[in-house]
Amino acid sequence: MTTSNFDGIPSLGTASDTVNLANSLPDVSQLEKLANELFSALPCDGTGTGVGLLSSAASNVFNEQLSGIDKALIPGTSPNHFGVPGEAELQKLFAPRSASVGSFPSSKLATSHPDDALSALHAPQQSVDKSLFTGINTQGFDLPGEAELKKLLAEKSISPAMKGHAIVPNAKADAPAVSDFYFLNESTSLNRSAPVSARDFAHPAFNVSAVRRDFPILNERVNGHQLVWFDNAATTQKPQAVIDRVSYFYEHENSNIHRAAHELAARSTDAYEKARNTVARFLNASSADEIVFVRGTTEGINLVAKSWGKQNISEGDEIVISWLEHHANIVPWQQLCSETGAILRVAPVDDSGQVLLNEYQKLLTSKTKLVSFTQVSNALGTVTPAQQMIEMAHRVGAKVLLDGAQSVSHLRADVQKLDCDWFVFSGHKIFGPTGIGAVYGKPELLEGMPPWQGGGNMIEDVTFEKTVYQPAPARFEAGTGNIADAVGLGAALEYVEHIGIDNIARYEHELLVYAMDKLQNISGLRLIGTAPDKTSVLSFVLAGHSNQDIGVALNKVGIAVRTGHHCAQPILRRFGLESTVRPSLAFYNTHDEIDHLVNTVRRIKNGSAVY
Protein backbone atom coordinates (compact mmCIF):
# COMPACT_ATOMS: atom_id res chain seq x y z
CA MET A 1 0.00 0.00 0.00
CA THR A 2 1.31 3.43 -0.89
CA THR A 3 2.34 5.75 1.92
CA SER A 4 2.81 9.47 1.77
CA ASN A 5 5.34 12.07 2.81
CA PHE A 6 5.08 15.85 2.86
CA ASP A 7 2.74 17.28 0.20
CA GLY A 8 0.83 14.01 0.16
CA ILE A 9 2.97 12.75 -2.72
CA PRO A 10 3.66 9.01 -2.41
CA SER A 11 7.05 8.32 -0.90
CA LEU A 12 9.61 5.74 -1.94
CA GLY A 13 8.54 2.41 -0.52
CA THR A 14 8.80 -1.32 -1.02
CA ALA A 15 8.89 -3.17 -4.31
CA SER A 16 5.12 -3.31 -4.32
CA ASP A 17 4.79 0.45 -4.22
CA THR A 18 3.68 2.36 -7.27
CA VAL A 19 6.89 4.41 -7.35
CA ASN A 20 9.73 2.29 -8.76
CA LEU A 21 12.87 3.76 -7.25
CA ALA A 22 15.35 1.94 -9.45
CA ASN A 23 13.61 2.96 -12.65
CA SER A 24 13.12 6.59 -11.65
CA LEU A 25 16.74 7.44 -10.76
CA PRO A 26 19.57 8.15 -13.22
CA ASP A 27 22.11 5.45 -13.97
CA VAL A 28 24.38 6.18 -11.02
CA SER A 29 27.59 4.87 -12.60
CA GLN A 30 27.12 7.13 -15.61
CA LEU A 31 26.14 10.03 -13.36
CA GLU A 32 29.25 9.44 -11.20
CA LYS A 33 31.58 9.41 -14.20
CA LEU A 34 30.16 12.58 -15.75
CA ALA A 35 29.97 14.44 -12.44
CA ASN A 36 33.55 13.59 -11.54
CA GLU A 37 34.73 14.85 -14.93
CA LEU A 38 32.78 18.04 -14.50
CA PHE A 39 33.81 18.92 -10.96
CA SER A 40 37.44 17.94 -11.37
CA ALA A 41 37.64 20.42 -14.26
CA LEU A 42 36.19 23.37 -12.38
CA PRO A 43 38.73 26.25 -12.18
CA CYS A 44 40.21 26.92 -8.76
CA ASP A 45 41.90 30.03 -7.38
CA GLY A 46 44.20 28.09 -5.12
CA THR A 47 42.20 28.56 -1.96
CA GLY A 48 39.82 25.71 -2.52
CA THR A 49 37.05 27.91 -3.87
CA GLY A 50 36.07 28.04 -7.50
CA VAL A 51 36.31 31.15 -9.63
CA GLY A 52 33.33 33.50 -9.32
CA LEU A 53 32.01 31.95 -6.12
CA LEU A 54 30.06 33.53 -3.30
CA SER A 55 31.36 36.19 -1.01
CA SER A 56 32.64 34.88 2.33
CA ALA A 57 29.43 35.62 4.24
CA ALA A 58 27.16 34.28 1.53
CA SER A 59 29.43 31.27 1.06
CA ASN A 60 28.99 30.34 4.73
CA VAL A 61 25.20 30.43 4.30
CA PHE A 62 25.50 28.42 1.09
CA ASN A 63 27.71 25.76 2.71
CA GLU A 64 25.43 25.47 5.72
CA GLN A 65 22.34 25.11 3.53
CA LEU A 66 24.08 22.66 1.21
CA SER A 67 24.99 20.48 4.17
CA GLY A 68 21.31 20.34 5.10
CA ILE A 69 20.34 19.45 1.55
CA ASP A 70 22.90 16.63 1.40
CA LYS A 71 21.42 15.10 4.54
CA ALA A 72 17.80 15.56 3.52
CA LEU A 73 18.03 14.51 -0.11
CA ILE A 74 20.65 11.72 0.05
CA PRO A 75 20.03 9.70 3.21
CA GLY A 76 22.88 7.37 2.31
CA THR A 77 25.47 10.08 2.88
CA SER A 78 24.30 11.02 6.34
CA PRO A 79 23.96 9.18 9.66
CA ASN A 80 20.56 10.83 10.09
CA HIS A 81 17.50 8.63 9.67
CA PHE A 82 13.99 9.94 9.14
CA GLY A 83 12.05 6.68 9.40
CA VAL A 84 10.24 7.24 6.10
CA PRO A 85 9.13 4.38 3.82
CA GLY A 86 11.81 3.42 1.32
CA GLU A 87 14.61 5.04 3.28
CA ALA A 88 16.56 1.82 3.70
CA GLU A 89 16.35 1.04 -0.02
CA LEU A 90 17.43 4.57 -0.91
CA GLN A 91 20.37 4.41 1.51
CA LYS A 92 21.44 1.05 0.11
CA LEU A 93 21.36 2.42 -3.42
CA PHE A 94 23.40 5.53 -2.64
CA ALA A 95 25.80 4.17 0.00
CA PRO A 96 28.36 2.58 -2.38
CA ARG A 97 28.64 5.81 -4.30
CA SER A 98 28.24 8.39 -1.56
CA ALA A 99 31.86 9.45 -1.76
CA SER A 100 31.43 10.39 -5.40
CA VAL A 101 27.92 11.79 -5.44
CA GLY A 102 27.06 12.96 -1.96
CA SER A 103 30.43 14.31 -0.83
CA PHE A 104 31.14 17.01 -3.36
CA PRO A 105 32.83 19.92 -1.58
CA SER A 106 30.39 22.81 -1.40
CA SER A 107 33.10 25.08 -2.76
CA LYS A 108 32.92 23.20 -6.06
CA LEU A 109 29.35 24.32 -6.74
CA ALA A 110 29.67 27.58 -8.66
CA THR A 111 26.86 29.98 -9.42
CA SER A 112 26.88 33.23 -11.31
CA HIS A 113 25.74 35.37 -8.39
CA PRO A 114 25.19 34.91 -4.63
CA ASP A 115 21.50 35.73 -5.00
CA ASP A 116 21.13 32.91 -7.51
CA ALA A 117 22.54 30.45 -5.01
CA LEU A 118 20.29 31.69 -2.21
CA SER A 119 17.24 31.69 -4.47
CA ALA A 120 17.95 28.12 -5.51
CA LEU A 121 18.42 27.01 -1.92
CA HIS A 122 15.32 28.76 -0.62
CA ALA A 123 13.09 27.81 -3.54
CA PRO A 124 10.60 25.26 -2.18
CA GLN A 125 9.50 22.09 -3.89
CA GLN A 126 12.37 22.01 -6.37
CA SER A 127 13.29 18.73 -8.01
CA VAL A 128 16.38 16.93 -6.82
CA ASP A 129 18.46 17.69 -9.89
CA LYS A 130 18.01 21.45 -9.37
CA SER A 131 18.72 21.48 -5.66
CA LEU A 132 21.72 19.17 -5.69
CA PHE A 133 23.32 20.57 -8.81
CA THR A 134 22.63 24.27 -8.42
CA GLY A 135 24.06 26.19 -11.34
CA ILE A 136 24.62 23.18 -13.62
CA ASN A 137 21.09 23.11 -14.93
CA THR A 138 20.77 26.88 -15.42
CA GLN A 139 24.03 28.00 -17.02
CA GLY A 140 26.97 26.59 -18.96
CA PHE A 141 30.65 26.38 -18.05
CA ASP A 142 31.95 24.68 -21.26
CA LEU A 143 33.46 21.88 -19.18
CA PRO A 144 34.07 18.21 -20.09
CA GLY A 145 30.95 16.10 -19.73
CA GLU A 146 28.73 19.10 -18.95
CA ALA A 147 26.32 18.67 -21.87
CA GLU A 148 25.92 14.95 -21.23
CA LEU A 149 25.34 15.52 -17.52
CA LYS A 150 22.70 18.17 -18.16
CA LYS A 151 20.94 15.92 -20.66
CA LEU A 152 21.03 12.99 -18.27
CA LEU A 153 19.61 15.01 -15.39
CA ALA A 154 16.89 16.46 -17.60
CA GLU A 155 15.80 13.03 -18.87
CA LYS A 156 16.17 11.02 -15.67
CA SER A 157 14.97 12.95 -12.64
CA ILE A 158 13.00 11.62 -9.68
CA SER A 159 9.79 9.82 -10.60
CA PRO A 160 6.93 11.76 -12.19
CA ALA A 161 4.85 11.45 -9.03
CA MET A 162 7.51 13.38 -7.11
CA LYS A 163 8.56 15.80 -9.83
CA GLY A 164 8.78 19.33 -8.50
CA HIS A 165 8.82 18.30 -4.84
CA ALA A 166 11.69 18.20 -2.39
CA ILE A 167 12.13 14.99 -0.40
CA VAL A 168 11.77 16.04 3.20
CA PRO A 169 10.81 14.27 6.42
CA ASN A 170 7.16 14.32 7.44
CA ALA A 171 6.21 17.53 9.21
CA LYS A 172 5.41 17.05 12.87
CA ALA A 173 2.62 18.88 14.62
CA ASP A 174 4.84 19.97 17.47
CA ALA A 175 7.80 20.99 15.31
CA PRO A 176 8.75 24.69 15.19
CA ALA A 177 6.84 26.35 12.39
CA VAL A 178 9.94 27.66 10.62
CA SER A 179 11.12 26.66 7.17
CA ASP A 180 14.61 27.47 5.94
CA PHE A 181 13.25 27.35 2.41
CA TYR A 182 11.24 30.50 2.91
CA PHE A 183 13.57 32.64 5.00
CA LEU A 184 16.73 34.43 3.94
CA ASN A 185 19.53 35.81 6.07
CA GLU A 186 18.58 38.67 8.33
CA SER A 187 20.81 40.89 6.21
CA THR A 188 18.52 40.45 3.19
CA SER A 189 16.09 43.39 3.06
CA LEU A 190 12.57 43.30 1.74
CA ASN A 191 12.02 44.64 -1.77
CA ARG A 192 9.88 47.67 -1.03
CA SER A 193 9.98 51.42 -1.19
CA ALA A 194 9.28 51.97 2.52
CA PRO A 195 12.32 52.87 4.63
CA VAL A 196 13.94 49.91 6.38
CA SER A 197 13.63 50.12 10.14
CA ALA A 198 15.22 48.20 12.99
CA ARG A 199 12.01 46.17 13.20
CA ASP A 200 12.76 44.66 9.80
CA PHE A 201 15.82 42.92 11.28
CA ALA A 202 14.10 41.53 14.36
CA HIS A 203 13.49 38.25 12.53
CA PRO A 204 14.56 36.64 9.24
CA ALA A 205 13.07 38.26 6.16
CA PHE A 206 10.18 36.37 4.56
CA ASN A 207 11.17 35.28 1.06
CA VAL A 208 7.96 36.01 -0.77
CA SER A 209 9.62 35.40 -4.14
CA ALA A 210 10.23 31.77 -3.18
CA VAL A 211 6.63 31.40 -2.05
CA ARG A 212 5.25 32.91 -5.25
CA ARG A 213 7.08 30.36 -7.38
CA ASP A 214 4.81 27.71 -5.83
CA PHE A 215 1.65 29.31 -7.27
CA PRO A 216 1.50 28.95 -11.06
CA ILE A 217 -1.57 31.14 -11.51
CA LEU A 218 0.37 34.17 -10.28
CA ASN A 219 2.16 34.12 -13.65
CA GLU A 220 -1.12 34.88 -15.42
CA ARG A 221 -1.54 38.14 -17.28
CA VAL A 222 -4.80 40.09 -17.28
CA ASN A 223 -5.32 42.78 -19.92
CA GLY A 224 -1.60 42.64 -20.62
CA HIS A 225 -0.64 43.14 -16.97
CA GLN A 226 0.75 40.76 -14.38
CA LEU A 227 -2.09 39.37 -12.25
CA VAL A 228 -2.33 40.85 -8.76
CA TRP A 229 -4.61 38.62 -6.70
CA PHE A 230 -6.19 40.71 -3.96
CA ASP A 231 -9.40 38.67 -3.71
CA ASN A 232 -8.11 36.21 -1.13
CA ALA A 233 -11.02 36.65 1.29
CA ALA A 234 -13.25 35.20 -1.45
CA THR A 235 -10.90 32.38 -2.42
CA THR A 236 -7.18 31.71 -2.29
CA GLN A 237 -4.96 30.44 -5.09
CA LYS A 238 -3.50 26.93 -5.05
CA PRO A 239 0.16 25.93 -4.82
CA GLN A 240 1.58 23.41 -7.26
CA ALA A 241 1.81 20.88 -4.41
CA VAL A 242 -1.99 20.87 -4.09
CA ILE A 243 -2.59 20.77 -7.84
CA ASP A 244 -0.16 17.86 -8.17
CA ARG A 245 -1.66 15.98 -5.23
CA VAL A 246 -5.19 16.10 -6.63
CA SER A 247 -3.90 15.10 -10.05
CA TYR A 248 -1.94 12.21 -8.55
CA PHE A 249 -5.06 10.99 -6.77
CA TYR A 250 -6.98 10.73 -10.04
CA GLU A 251 -4.01 9.16 -11.81
CA HIS A 252 -3.12 6.53 -9.20
CA GLU A 253 -5.65 6.24 -6.35
CA ASN A 254 -9.13 7.05 -7.63
CA SER A 255 -11.73 4.80 -6.03
CA ASN A 256 -14.56 4.94 -3.58
CA ILE A 257 -13.55 4.50 0.04
CA HIS A 258 -14.23 2.13 2.95
CA ARG A 259 -16.11 -0.47 0.91
CA ALA A 260 -13.93 -2.63 -1.31
CA ALA A 261 -11.13 -5.17 -1.02
CA HIS A 262 -9.10 -4.03 -4.04
CA GLU A 263 -5.86 -2.03 -4.07
CA LEU A 264 -7.22 1.28 -5.33
CA ALA A 265 -9.88 1.33 -2.65
CA ALA A 266 -7.18 0.82 -0.05
CA ARG A 267 -5.06 3.63 -1.51
CA SER A 268 -8.03 5.99 -1.71
CA THR A 269 -9.16 5.21 1.83
CA ASP A 270 -5.64 5.70 3.16
CA ALA A 271 -5.30 9.05 1.40
CA TYR A 272 -8.71 10.25 2.61
CA GLU A 273 -8.16 9.27 6.23
CA LYS A 274 -4.62 10.68 6.16
CA ALA A 275 -6.18 14.00 5.15
CA ARG A 276 -8.55 13.75 8.13
CA ASN A 277 -5.55 13.20 10.40
CA THR A 278 -3.85 16.24 8.87
CA VAL A 279 -6.89 18.43 9.56
CA ALA A 280 -6.98 17.18 13.16
CA ARG A 281 -3.30 17.96 13.62
CA PHE A 282 -3.63 21.39 12.02
CA LEU A 283 -6.50 22.33 14.35
CA ASN A 284 -4.90 20.58 17.34
CA ALA A 285 -7.94 18.35 17.79
CA SER A 286 -7.40 15.48 20.19
CA SER A 287 -8.54 12.88 17.64
CA ALA A 288 -9.24 12.54 13.93
CA ASP A 289 -12.69 11.22 14.94
CA GLU A 290 -13.55 14.83 15.82
CA ILE A 291 -13.21 15.92 12.17
CA VAL A 292 -16.13 15.73 9.73
CA PHE A 293 -15.58 16.49 6.05
CA VAL A 294 -18.20 18.79 4.51
CA ARG A 295 -18.41 20.97 1.40
CA GLY A 296 -17.28 24.05 3.31
CA THR A 297 -18.09 26.45 6.13
CA THR A 298 -21.67 27.00 4.97
CA GLU A 299 -22.48 23.29 5.01
CA GLY A 300 -20.69 22.90 8.35
CA ILE A 301 -22.85 25.53 10.02
CA ASN A 302 -25.99 24.04 8.48
CA LEU A 303 -24.98 20.59 9.74
CA VAL A 304 -24.82 21.86 13.32
CA ALA A 305 -28.07 23.81 12.94
CA LYS A 306 -30.02 20.94 11.38
CA SER A 307 -28.63 18.25 13.68
CA TRP A 308 -27.69 19.58 17.11
CA GLY A 309 -29.88 22.66 16.76
CA LYS A 310 -33.13 20.87 16.00
CA GLN A 311 -32.49 18.45 18.83
CA ASN A 312 -31.53 21.01 21.47
CA ILE A 313 -33.15 24.38 20.64
CA SER A 314 -36.73 24.97 21.76
CA GLU A 315 -39.24 27.78 21.92
CA GLY A 316 -38.00 30.66 24.06
CA ASP A 317 -34.35 29.63 23.84
CA GLU A 318 -31.90 32.22 22.57
CA ILE A 319 -29.11 32.10 20.00
CA VAL A 320 -26.47 34.85 20.04
CA ILE A 321 -24.48 35.96 16.99
CA SER A 322 -22.67 39.23 16.21
CA TRP A 323 -23.06 42.08 13.73
CA LEU A 324 -19.91 40.87 11.97
CA GLU A 325 -21.35 37.66 10.59
CA HIS A 326 -21.33 36.37 7.04
CA HIS A 327 -24.80 35.44 5.77
CA ALA A 328 -23.84 31.77 6.23
CA ASN A 329 -23.70 32.38 9.98
CA ILE A 330 -27.00 34.27 10.06
CA VAL A 331 -29.48 32.51 7.77
CA PRO A 332 -29.27 28.95 9.26
CA TRP A 333 -29.96 30.35 12.75
CA GLN A 334 -32.85 32.48 11.47
CA GLN A 335 -34.31 29.35 9.89
CA LEU A 336 -33.86 27.40 13.13
CA CYS A 337 -35.54 30.16 15.14
CA SER A 338 -38.42 30.24 12.69
CA GLU A 339 -38.89 26.47 13.01
CA THR A 340 -38.54 26.24 16.80
CA GLY A 341 -39.72 29.57 18.18
CA ALA A 342 -36.25 30.45 19.49
CA ILE A 343 -35.01 34.07 19.53
CA LEU A 344 -31.96 35.42 17.68
CA ARG A 345 -29.88 38.02 19.56
CA VAL A 346 -27.11 40.11 17.97
CA ALA A 347 -24.03 41.51 19.71
CA PRO A 348 -23.21 45.05 18.45
CA VAL A 349 -19.84 46.42 17.36
CA ASP A 350 -18.15 49.79 17.86
CA ASP A 351 -17.16 52.27 15.16
CA SER A 352 -13.91 50.43 14.50
CA GLY A 353 -15.75 47.16 13.91
CA GLN A 354 -14.87 45.36 17.15
CA VAL A 355 -17.46 43.52 19.24
CA LEU A 356 -18.64 45.49 22.28
CA LEU A 357 -17.94 42.93 24.99
CA ASN A 358 -20.03 44.68 27.64
CA GLU A 359 -23.06 44.52 25.36
CA TYR A 360 -22.26 40.94 24.41
CA GLN A 361 -22.13 40.02 28.10
CA LYS A 362 -25.62 41.48 28.64
CA LEU A 363 -27.02 39.13 25.98
CA LEU A 364 -25.71 36.02 27.72
CA THR A 365 -28.32 34.60 30.08
CA SER A 366 -29.64 31.25 31.22
CA LYS A 367 -31.81 31.31 28.08
CA THR A 368 -28.75 31.36 25.81
CA LYS A 369 -28.30 27.90 24.35
CA LEU A 370 -25.93 28.66 21.50
CA VAL A 371 -23.41 31.36 20.53
CA SER A 372 -22.09 31.40 16.97
CA PHE A 373 -19.64 34.02 15.73
CA THR A 374 -16.74 34.58 13.36
CA GLN A 375 -13.10 34.64 14.41
CA VAL A 376 -12.27 37.09 11.59
CA SER A 377 -14.78 39.28 9.75
CA ASN A 378 -14.77 38.72 6.01
CA ALA A 379 -15.98 42.29 5.37
CA LEU A 380 -13.79 44.23 7.83
CA GLY A 381 -10.93 41.93 8.79
CA THR A 382 -11.69 42.36 12.51
CA VAL A 383 -10.19 39.65 14.71
CA THR A 384 -12.67 38.95 17.47
CA PRO A 385 -11.50 38.10 21.03
CA ALA A 386 -12.65 34.54 20.41
CA GLN A 387 -11.23 32.80 23.45
CA GLN A 388 -12.66 35.41 25.81
CA MET A 389 -16.07 35.31 24.11
CA ILE A 390 -16.13 31.50 24.29
CA GLU A 391 -15.32 31.55 28.01
CA MET A 392 -18.08 34.09 28.63
CA ALA A 393 -20.63 31.94 26.77
CA HIS A 394 -19.61 28.77 28.59
CA ARG A 395 -20.21 30.46 31.96
CA VAL A 396 -23.93 30.57 31.20
CA GLY A 397 -23.95 27.00 29.85
CA ALA A 398 -24.14 27.90 26.15
CA LYS A 399 -22.44 25.93 23.40
CA VAL A 400 -20.21 27.84 20.95
CA LEU A 401 -19.64 27.46 17.22
CA LEU A 402 -16.62 29.39 15.90
CA ASP A 403 -16.58 30.32 12.20
CA GLY A 404 -12.95 29.98 11.08
CA ALA A 405 -13.47 30.53 7.36
CA GLN A 406 -11.53 33.80 7.32
CA SER A 407 -9.13 33.09 10.18
CA VAL A 408 -7.76 29.65 9.35
CA SER A 409 -5.25 30.85 6.74
CA HIS A 410 -4.02 33.81 8.80
CA LEU A 411 -3.99 32.75 12.47
CA ARG A 412 -3.12 29.64 14.44
CA ALA A 413 -6.23 27.56 15.07
CA ASP A 414 -6.03 25.57 18.32
CA VAL A 415 -9.46 24.18 19.11
CA GLN A 416 -8.36 22.74 22.45
CA LYS A 417 -6.97 26.07 23.63
CA LEU A 418 -9.96 27.99 22.30
CA ASP A 419 -12.29 25.39 23.88
CA CYS A 420 -14.92 25.97 21.20
CA ASP A 421 -17.57 23.29 20.83
CA TRP A 422 -17.46 23.39 17.02
CA PHE A 423 -15.03 24.96 14.57
CA VAL A 424 -15.80 25.18 10.85
CA PHE A 425 -13.70 26.23 7.86
CA SER A 426 -13.45 25.92 4.06
CA GLY A 427 -10.56 24.45 2.11
CA HIS A 428 -10.58 27.05 -0.64
CA LYS A 429 -9.89 29.79 1.94
CA ILE A 430 -6.59 28.12 2.86
CA PHE A 431 -5.02 27.32 -0.53
CA GLY A 432 -6.97 24.07 -0.95
CA PRO A 433 -9.63 22.97 -3.44
CA THR A 434 -13.16 24.31 -3.60
CA GLY A 435 -16.08 22.20 -2.44
CA ILE A 436 -14.32 20.81 0.63
CA GLY A 437 -14.15 21.89 4.26
CA ALA A 438 -14.30 20.47 7.74
CA VAL A 439 -16.19 20.62 11.01
CA TYR A 440 -14.40 20.04 14.29
CA GLY A 441 -16.74 18.97 17.08
CA LYS A 442 -16.18 17.90 20.64
CA PRO A 443 -16.64 14.10 20.73
CA GLU A 444 -19.46 14.09 23.25
CA LEU A 445 -21.42 16.51 21.06
CA LEU A 446 -20.81 14.64 17.82
CA GLU A 447 -21.86 11.36 19.40
CA GLY A 448 -25.11 12.90 20.58
CA MET A 449 -25.97 14.51 17.24
CA PRO A 450 -28.27 12.63 14.84
CA PRO A 451 -27.27 12.46 11.16
CA TRP A 452 -28.74 15.21 9.04
CA GLN A 453 -28.53 13.31 5.74
CA GLY A 454 -29.21 9.64 5.08
CA GLY A 455 -27.66 7.26 2.58
CA GLY A 456 -24.69 5.01 2.06
CA ASN A 457 -21.44 5.03 4.01
CA MET A 458 -23.03 6.43 7.17
CA ILE A 459 -24.82 3.22 8.21
CA GLU A 460 -23.89 0.05 10.06
CA ASP A 461 -27.08 -1.86 9.30
CA VAL A 462 -30.33 -1.22 7.45
CA THR A 463 -33.59 -3.16 7.57
CA PHE A 464 -37.04 -2.06 6.51
CA GLU A 465 -37.84 -1.59 10.17
CA LYS A 466 -34.84 0.48 11.34
CA THR A 467 -31.35 1.77 10.58
CA VAL A 468 -28.27 1.63 12.80
CA TYR A 469 -25.89 4.50 12.10
CA GLN A 470 -22.12 4.60 12.11
CA PRO A 471 -20.41 6.51 14.93
CA ALA A 472 -19.06 9.97 14.24
CA PRO A 473 -17.60 11.19 11.98
CA ALA A 474 -18.87 8.64 9.41
CA ARG A 475 -22.54 9.21 10.33
CA PHE A 476 -22.28 12.77 8.97
CA GLU A 477 -20.65 11.81 5.66
CA ALA A 478 -23.49 10.22 3.73
CA GLY A 479 -22.86 9.05 0.18
CA THR A 480 -19.70 9.39 -1.87
CA GLY A 481 -17.88 12.42 -0.56
CA ASN A 482 -15.46 14.78 -2.24
CA ILE A 483 -12.58 12.34 -1.77
CA ALA A 484 -10.01 13.87 -4.11
CA ASP A 485 -10.46 17.38 -2.76
CA ALA A 486 -10.28 16.16 0.82
CA VAL A 487 -6.88 14.75 -0.10
CA GLY A 488 -6.04 18.11 -1.72
CA LEU A 489 -7.07 19.90 1.46
CA GLY A 490 -4.66 17.73 3.41
CA ALA A 491 -1.87 18.71 1.02
CA ALA A 492 -2.77 22.41 1.42
CA LEU A 493 -2.59 22.21 5.21
CA GLU A 494 0.75 20.39 5.01
CA TYR A 495 2.00 23.17 2.74
CA VAL A 496 0.96 25.81 5.28
CA GLU A 497 2.55 23.79 8.08
CA HIS A 498 5.78 23.64 6.09
CA ILE A 499 6.00 27.43 5.91
CA GLY A 500 4.58 28.00 9.39
CA ILE A 501 1.31 29.76 10.20
CA ASP A 502 3.06 32.10 12.64
CA ASN A 503 5.52 33.13 9.93
CA ILE A 504 2.60 33.73 7.58
CA ALA A 505 0.77 35.82 10.18
CA ARG A 506 3.83 37.93 10.85
CA TYR A 507 4.50 38.69 7.19
CA GLU A 508 0.82 39.39 6.43
CA HIS A 509 0.62 41.78 9.37
CA GLU A 510 3.54 43.76 7.93
CA LEU A 511 1.73 43.89 4.58
CA LEU A 512 -1.52 44.99 6.23
CA VAL A 513 0.11 47.82 8.21
CA TYR A 514 1.98 48.97 5.11
CA ALA A 515 -1.18 48.92 2.96
CA MET A 516 -3.38 50.69 5.51
CA ASP A 517 -0.81 53.46 5.90
CA LYS A 518 -0.58 53.95 2.13
CA LEU A 519 -4.34 53.89 1.51
CA GLN A 520 -5.11 56.29 4.35
CA ASN A 521 -2.90 58.88 2.66
CA ILE A 522 -5.31 59.08 -0.29
CA SER A 523 -7.69 61.98 0.29
CA GLY A 524 -11.33 60.98 0.07
CA LEU A 525 -10.62 57.32 0.80
CA ARG A 526 -12.29 55.83 3.86
CA LEU A 527 -11.17 52.52 5.31
CA ILE A 528 -14.06 50.46 6.69
CA GLY A 529 -12.93 48.36 9.65
CA THR A 530 -10.12 49.85 11.70
CA ALA A 531 -10.14 47.62 14.78
CA PRO A 532 -6.75 47.48 16.52
CA ASP A 533 -6.74 43.71 16.07
CA LYS A 534 -7.44 42.89 12.43
CA THR A 535 -5.98 40.95 9.54
CA SER A 536 -6.02 40.56 5.79
CA VAL A 537 -8.93 42.80 4.72
CA LEU A 538 -8.72 46.39 3.38
CA SER A 539 -12.33 47.38 2.68
CA PHE A 540 -12.70 50.99 1.53
CA VAL A 541 -14.88 53.47 -0.28
CA LEU A 542 -13.68 56.45 -2.32
CA ALA A 543 -15.69 59.65 -2.31
CA GLY A 544 -17.22 60.48 -5.68
CA HIS A 545 -16.54 57.07 -7.20
CA SER A 546 -18.68 53.96 -7.62
CA ASN A 547 -17.26 50.85 -5.98
CA GLN A 548 -18.11 48.83 -9.07
CA ASP A 549 -16.33 51.32 -11.32
CA ILE A 550 -13.24 51.16 -9.11
CA GLY A 551 -13.20 47.37 -9.36
CA VAL A 552 -13.49 47.52 -13.15
CA ALA A 553 -10.70 50.12 -13.38
CA LEU A 554 -8.41 48.03 -11.18
CA ASN A 555 -9.07 45.00 -13.36
CA LYS A 556 -7.80 46.94 -16.38
CA VAL A 557 -4.32 46.86 -14.85
CA GLY A 558 -4.56 43.26 -13.65
CA ILE A 559 -5.63 43.90 -10.03
CA ALA A 560 -8.37 41.56 -8.80
CA VAL A 561 -10.46 42.84 -5.87
CA ARG A 562 -13.99 42.11 -4.66
CA THR A 563 -16.68 44.78 -4.83
CA GLY A 564 -20.17 44.46 -3.36
CA HIS A 565 -21.67 43.53 0.00
CA HIS A 566 -19.47 40.42 0.49
CA CYS A 567 -22.43 38.39 1.80
CA ALA A 568 -22.28 40.52 4.94
CA GLN A 569 -24.96 43.16 4.42
CA PRO A 570 -25.81 43.79 8.11
CA ILE A 571 -22.28 44.86 9.07
CA LEU A 572 -21.90 47.15 6.05
CA ARG A 573 -25.24 48.77 6.85
CA ARG A 574 -23.96 49.33 10.38
CA PHE A 575 -21.51 51.72 8.67
CA GLY A 576 -24.16 53.22 6.39
CA LEU A 577 -22.99 51.35 3.29
CA GLU A 578 -24.34 48.87 0.81
CA SER A 579 -20.98 47.86 -0.62
CA THR A 580 -17.22 48.42 -0.44
CA VAL A 581 -14.12 47.78 -2.50
CA ARG A 582 -12.36 44.92 -0.72
CA PRO A 583 -8.72 44.10 -1.43
CA SER A 584 -7.69 41.18 0.77
CA LEU A 585 -4.22 39.80 1.38
CA ALA A 586 -2.41 36.48 1.46
CA PHE A 587 1.21 35.59 2.12
CA TYR A 588 2.08 35.51 -1.59
CA ASN A 589 1.22 39.20 -1.99
CA THR A 590 3.99 41.81 -2.00
CA HIS A 591 4.71 45.39 -1.05
CA ASP A 592 5.17 46.17 -4.74
CA GLU A 593 1.65 44.90 -5.48
CA ILE A 594 0.30 47.14 -2.74
CA ASP A 595 2.14 50.09 -4.27
CA HIS A 596 0.56 49.21 -7.63
CA LEU A 597 -2.90 49.16 -6.00
CA VAL A 598 -2.37 52.45 -4.18
CA ASN A 599 -0.98 54.24 -7.24
CA THR A 600 -3.89 53.02 -9.37
CA VAL A 601 -6.50 54.11 -6.81
CA ARG A 602 -4.81 57.50 -6.63
CA ARG A 603 -5.05 57.82 -10.42
CA ILE A 604 -8.73 56.85 -10.29
CA LYS A 605 -9.28 59.47 -7.60
CA ASN A 606 -7.53 62.12 -9.69
CA GLY A 607 -9.51 61.21 -12.79
CA SER A 608 -6.49 59.94 -14.71
CA ALA A 609 -6.94 57.23 -17.31
CA VAL A 610 -6.14 53.71 -16.19
CA TYR A 611 -4.76 51.27 -18.76
Side-chain angles (χ1 to χ4, degrees), residues 34-72:
L34 293 173
N36 283 337
E37 289 178 1
L38 172 61
F39 289 108
S40 63
L42 279 173
C44 182
D45 62 3
T47 65
T49 54
V51 175
L53 291 177
L54 309 179
S55 65
S56 176
S59 181
N60 290 337
V61 176
F62 184 87
N63 293 342
E64 180 182 348
Q65 294 279 4
L66 180 66
S67 174
I69 290 177
D70 287 341
K71 294 176 182 178

Side-chain angles (χ1 to χ4, degrees), residues 239-318:
Q240 192 66 51
V242 172
I243 297 169
D244 288 350
R245 186 63 187 92
V246 174
S247 178
Y248 186 91
F249 176 87
Y250 283 121
E251 291 173 351
H252 300 283
E253 300 165 330
N254 185 43
S255 170
N256 216 318
I257 57 174
H258 295 149
R259 58 185 84 165
H262 56 73
E263 174 65 18
L264 292 190
R267 293 181 192 174
S268 179
T269 300
D270 284 353
Y272 185 76
E273 294 303 332
K274 177 181 181 292
R276 194 191 307 276
N277 285 325
T278 300
V279 174
R281 182 180 70 239
F282 191 84
L283 299 180
N284 193 31
S286 60
S287 167
D289 291 340
E290 299 164 5
I291 304 301
V292 179
F293 282 124
V294 288
R295 287 186 301 149
T297 302
T298 298
E299 184 169 273
I301 295 172
N302 276 274
L303 186 159
V304 176
K306 304 298 184 186
S307 177
W308 183 90
K310 280 194 173 182
Q311 188 182 53
N312 291 277
I313 300 296
S314 305
E315 184 175 359
D317 290 340
E318 295 182 354

